[in-house]
Amino acid sequence: MIMAAKLDERVHEAPIPMNNINMDLLSQVGLTNLLNSLGADRETGCKHGIFFKDGQRKVDYILAFTYKKSGSRTPNKKNHHNNSVHNLHSPKDDHHLPGGGGDLEAMEAEPKMDYHEDDKRFRREEYEGNLIETGLELERDEETKLHGVGFVKIHAPWNVLCREAEFMKLKMPTKKVYQINQTQGLMQKLSSFIHKISEPIQPKVAGLRPQTVKHLSYPFSREKQHLFDMSDKESFFDSKTRSSIVYEILKRTTCTKAKYSMGITSLLANGVYSAAYPLHDGDYDSEAEANDRKLLSDEWASYSAFYKYQPIDLVRKYFGEKIGLYFAWLGVYTQMLIPASVVGIIVFLYGCATVDENIPSMEMCDTRYNITMCPLCDRTCNYWKMSSACGTARASHLFDNPATVFFSVFMALWAASFMEHWKRRQMRLNYRWDLTGFEEEEGMVKDHPRAEYEAKVLQKSLKKEYRSKEKQQHVPEDNPNKWKQRVKTAMAGVKLTEKEKLTWRDRFPAYLTNVVGIIFMIGVTFAIVFGVIMYRISTAAALAMSSNPNTRANVRVTVTATAVIINLVVILILDEVYGAIARWLTQIEVPKTDKTFEERLIFKAFLLKFVNAYTPIFYVAFFKGRIVGRPGDYYYIFQSFRMEECAPGGCLMELCIQLSIIMLGKQLIQNNLFEIGIPKMKKLIRYLKSKRQSYKDHEEHLKKKQRYEEDYDLEPFAGLTPEYMEMIIQFGFVTLFVASFPLAPLFALLNNIIEIRLDAKKFITELRRPVAVRAKDIGIWYNIIRGVGKLAVIINAFVISFTSDFIPRLVYLYMYSPDGTMHGFVNHTLSYFNVSDFKLGTEPSQPVDLGYKVEMCRYKDYREAPWSLNKYDINKDYWAVLAARLAFVIVFQNLVMFMSDFVDWIIPDIPKDISEQIHREKVLMVEVFLKEEQGKLQMLETWKEHERKKGENCNSQSPGLSRSQRGSSSSMYSHRVDV
């Protein structure tokens, strides 16, 4: 290895053309490889693509590219003799710049290639040469089963891993091991009892038992390698760490032939490479091969393991901390839904048990009251009996009862408890995964600017340079000089991002586009909701004119159900559209780092999807039936469509229907069917396409696919934003309108039990292995969840106060009831209207449809009677109820907020035992370094004492030592001390 490195250095110092390389050496190397390939089966030797052809070096990363096989040169024809040529010389030696004589001769001798393909090949050759200069080892494989797809296998040797681990401040285990403090007494017995009971629901993976000892971790340093536990160098850097190290190198390695400094992200975007990904450990369905992927498939991604805990440590080991934290959060959220579901079921059962004792609904169903209601629409609608709405009134009581108020308070406290529980769980994972102090390390390691940002900065600097050149008159340069100057400018692309920055003036057009675009999208959502309202009004009027009595009797149910289904379809479509628009709006902003890009994307996508999902629900909860008017003076849209009213039992039942259908529809269709169906469909299309191409080459078809070829067929990982987004929207359904739908936590729990295994199966079987990303928390999602929890308190206060009849019932019970009961409540909430006061053309076309002539009809409102002086004006009962509603909102909101903050304050964010262990780790680390320094000083003192005694012996034996000899001895001593 050392000789190869020295040879490489010599070649770099004096570039040798490919034509002058000793052909005997190449033929010997090629013959050796040929004999090796004949001696052992290729597919067995490299273990199905997980290792290089030598069977020793492990593949840490894969770069895939497409090329044309027919009518063009082979992309790596010059290096086709042997893949190990990369180790003997730099690609720059045989890849001349455009205009070189060698390339022209080669191009004349070989068939002409497409310009774009040629340009991509040049970029790949330079980029791979730069990767070799960083110390990575590459191996090409173009003889693949996939038609027209080549692969570059990347291996990071030990010295590169150590260097990059030090740059990235990776915490690695040291030799120092310490005992973890265990609970004593009653708590120890309780924890062991709980562990014994929960053993059947624990996954069968190693390392699940509580740890008693732990390795002390410290950021890796090459100078202090002796401190780290390197008993097994092969497993010291695991596969996820190796791939993340290689990915960091790929991101910062530049390609100047692209006219600006660029990393792997830009090369992928420009089609130079078609894919870049780390490999999965092996097959997940193989019986003979044991690996982490198969273990996760059996114990985590299986629907038969739905009742078991997740092996979070193994998920983190395989996918990294960021994905591990997502599944840990999802597990905690699902676990916390269990008590919420139980309480929600109890509240629902309470409503079912008391429905026959509810006096208002009994009065509405009693035909003896013979209450005639005013028409629900002009001309086509007739008078109707209140008893016909008996079913709606009884169903409303299931969700509109005193227990729902208690459930709203409970869910507000539940949300606060969930956040605190997650923070404590997160701290335990940080301690277990050695992420304590990660923020400080993250600040020390500077984030790489995104390739798009670098390109924008370079474009800005080139514009400045061009303007300055226009001002100065100079002689124009010839073409080669211009090209060289452009290359020099491009090579300084990384430094340009430090000198030049994008100011708010550069981003102002993008910011303006963002604001206008978001406002326009929100306006589109409102317009669609308005269109659905128009559909409801017009459909209700059309169905009321039907000759079928059953159709007329079920107008409200039909209109509500069809309108909700339309809303659901529109929400599903706009969700996909808004996701793409949010990404485009974020891209034109050109954020500097990936972290900033992700946060801005999340904010825009959440804002648009939140408005899209909840606008129809907000309309039913707070606007429907509020802006109606009264008989004889209704409000109209476009002077022809009358605003729709709530049912006599209120709008809460309709809100419950709307909420349940949209929530269940989104979960079943979008979250489950889309997640299963779309990846399966894409995988099938890719498989059929590759199969059709492979049949053209029978030899390729007979080959067994390598690991990297199988992973290439998988769907690329698109980030965790869609996964978090669907769960946050669901969290909103569970908390925001829980007063109207107590069964929402139950349906969310059932969905999440499937969702965990569905996501796990997708990550294991359908997606390429993501690059492991270190993360200490769930990021901006925590603030979004916290904001939704605070908003839920306010919304539930308004739902209870204004949407339900809870406050009017309390006001009637304590202010107007003659006997202290709810008897007479329905009559109290209805006002009288004289049918002679209808405007011309608005009265019913069949006034005697009920069998008698109607003189007075009733409508739900607090207004004066027609025989009073101020007829049809709002009466004092209305103001009393309104005052009580506003008072309830203020009291409820402040009381629940105070209780939530109290729960937040009383539960510490960091568990006491974890804070003690973190403090103990710091003390132990200081002790380790003190001992090391003391050991060094002791060795130095021993050596000095030995030198002193040696000097005394020398003086006693030869007293006539010359001064020069003494000086050389003292200089040697000082030199050794310095070393």
Side-chain angles (χ1 to χ4, degrees), residues 616-668:
I617 302 172
F618 269 91
Y619 164 72
V620 175
F622 302 120
F623 296 99
K624 185 180 178 182
R626 303 281 181 268
I627 315 170
V628 177
R630 60 169 179 82
D633 190 19
Y634 284 113
Y635 300 140
Y636 293 89
I637 302 175
F638 305 131
Q639 298 181 353
S640 56
F641 295 101
R642 203 175 95 187
M643 292 296 291
E644 55 182 345
E645 303 177 44
C646 289
C651 280
L652 198 67
M653 186 61 199
E654 189 172 344
L655 175 62
C656 174
I657 295 172
Q658 184 108 357
L659 186 68
S660 59
I661 292 178
I662 291 177
M663 178 182 175
L664 296 176
K666 273 182 67 67
Q667 290 182 168
L668 291 174

Side-chain angles (χ1 to χ4, degrees), residues 273-340:
Y273 290 101
S274 58
Y277 51 91
L279 290 180
H280 280 293
D281 279 356
D283 292 328
Y284 62 88
D285 53 359
S286 174
E287 295 296 333
E289 187 180 4
N291 54 67
D292 287 343
R293 189 187 186 193
K294 177 173 172 50
L295 188 58
L296 284 170
S297 176
D298 295 339
E299 296 295 327
W300 181 51
S302 174
Y303 293 111
S304 61
F306 73 93
Y307 62 92
K308 290 185 178 182
Y309 285 101
Q310 299 182 84
I312 292 298
D313 290 330
L314 187 59
V315 174
R316 173 253 179 180
K317 179 188 173 186
Y318 193 77
F319 291 111
E321 287 79 7
K322 192 171 185 179
I323 293 176
L325 281 174
Y326 163 70
F327 282 103
W329 174 83
L330 184 56
V332 170
Y333 172 48
T334 305
Q335 189 178 1
M336 289 292 291
L337 281 172
I338 296 174

Side-chain angles (χ1 to χ4, degrees), residues 756-799:
I756 291 175
R757 307 304 163 181
L758 184 64
D759 283 348
K761 201 169 189 66
K762 182 173 69 174
F763 273 83
I764 292 295
T765 64
E766 303 293 338
L767 296 180
R768 293 174 191 158
R769 187 175 182 178
V771 179
V773 178
R774 287 189 298 167
K776 190 177 182 180
D777 49 40
I778 59 175
I780 193 175
W781 294 111
Y782 178 83
N783 297 326
I784 291 175
I785 297 169
R786 194 174 181 84
V788 171
K790 297 291 184 185
L791 183 63
V793 176
I794 302 171
I795 290 178
N796 280 306
F798 277 95
V799 167

Side-chain angles (χ1 to χ4, degrees), residues 377-433:
C377 61
D378 294 342
R379 297 289 297 168
T380 56
C381 296
N382 299 317
Y383 302 106
W384 54 285
K385 293 287 187 181
M386 176 172 275
S387 57
S388 64
C390 175
T392 307
R394 289 173 63 86
S396 296
H397 178 73
L398 301 178
F399 307 101
D400 187 5
N401 56 68
T404 56
V405 180
F406 158 76
F407 191 55
S408 300
V409 177
F410 170 81
M411 287 303 294
L413 299 179
W414 172 87
S417 303
F418 162 59
M419 300 304 295
E420 292 305 308
H421 181 42
W422 166 243
K423 281 193 288 187
R424 291 170 66 84
R425 170 72 169 155
Q426 188 173 257
M427 281 307 302
R428 289 191 181 277
L429 292 176
N430 285 339
Y431 166 71
R432 207 157 72 200
W433 296 348

Side-chain angles (χ1 to χ4, degrees), residues 141-211:
D141 184 7
E142 292 165 11
E143 299 176 0
T144 63
K145 187 175 179 181
L146 301 178
H147 183 79
V149 180
F151 296 93
V152 179
K153 295 177 274 189
I154 302 177
H155 169 75
W158 175 257
N159 59 335
V160 174
L161 294 173
C162 293
R163 182 191 71 207
E164 296 299 322
E166 184 174 356
F167 291 163
M168 295 167 65
K169 307 289 183 185
L170 295 180
K171 274 192 172 182
M172 305 303 293
T174 63
K175 295 176 182 177
K176 177 67 176 176
V177 178
Y178 68 95
Q179 290 282 337
I180 297 177
N181 293 334
Q182 300 294 323
T183 55
Q184 301 294 331
L186 181 63
M187 292 301 296
Q188 183 182 8
K189 293 179 180 178
L190 183 63
S191 62
S192 61
F193 175 72
I194 292 172
H195 181 75
K196 192 173 290 184
I197 290 178
S198 62
E199 193 168 354
I201 59 175
Q202 296 288 351
K204 296 177 182 178
V205 297
L208 272 181
R209 289 193 169 275
Q211 292 180 330

